[in-house]
Amino acid sequence: MVNYLLKKSYQLKDLKEIEFKDLWGDHGVFTTMWIFGSPPRILFFKDHINNLIKSTKAYSIIKSSIKSDILRLIEENLDNKIKYNHLLRVALNKNTLSISLRKRIKPKLNFNLKLVNLKRQKPEFKNLKYKEILKHLSKLDNSKSDIGLCSNKKILETGTSNILFVKNKKIFSPINKFYKGITYKFFKSKIKKIIKKDILINSLNEFDEIILIGSGKGIASVRTINQVNWKRKEFKIYNQLLKHYNSAINNCPKYK
């Protein structure tokens, strides 16, 4: 059961508050952002909002003031007296805009990945068709486990994050059919080269590190994948990426 610090829904047409709806399974889109500190800061805030607005157009969620509406509701619902370490989720369909805040859970170093035969619908967008993924995630302790989404014997992403694979200090990523998140795009701008490659399940033992990246987890090093007897061999690239990530946190402007 998710414990919310805040959960509100509004009619999109006039921003009148209504009973909360999480919108999972609807025809719509969402974004999840890490909000931290007091006064609050939101990591990669502009990128998240701009990407969300772009996605609303693809899903025919049309309103000329939609960006300013989102910004207004976020501002109205934040409290400078609270020291945040939460995930701020904004979700929309054609009729409803929902905002929620839940505690962000730090991943542990004994993190395990569980492989499942499942992939996102229309993975080019962060859409709300998420219920099958949530069924699997609800059975796990997300501080130490996630599901690896697999299709055609390839691993694509996890239920919450993008994945990077490390072999001989070279960094690999699946080629396509996965959602490229804001944190993924950040690291792509910082890393000299990410090699696109189909990541076959039966090839996982070739890799020295498997690293999860996303708003929910930040950056997490996978320790084990029990189904293929994979175990982490080192932390070298993880530590390099962590420096980039911590720099982004330290330089993140205060939310206004």
Side-chain angles (χ1 to χ4, degrees), residues 12-29:
L12 187 59
K13 63 180 180 180
D14 57 11
L15 300 188
K16 180 181 178 181
E17 188 171 351
I18 57 175
E19 182 180 356
F20 177 70
K21 300 176 182 178
D22 61 26
L23 303 183
W24 291 126
D26 284 8
H27 182 78
V29 292

Side-chain angles (χ1 to χ4, degrees), residues 10-55:
Y10 303 85
Q11 290 182 163
L12 187 59
K13 63 180 180 180
D14 57 11
L15 300 188
K16 180 181 178 181
E17 188 171 351
I18 57 175
E19 182 180 356
F20 177 70
K21 300 176 182 178
D22 61 26
L23 303 183
W24 291 126
D26 284 8
H27 182 78
V29 292
F30 75 103
T31 192
T32 302
M33 302 168 270
W34 179 34
I35 178 171
F36 61 99
S38 176
R41 294 185 284 170
I42 302 175
L43 193 62
F44 310 136
F45 178 65
K46 289 183 180 179
D47 296 322
H48 277 286
I49 295 299
N50 289 338
N51 188 63
L52 180 63
I53 299 305
K54 182 180 177 181
S55 297

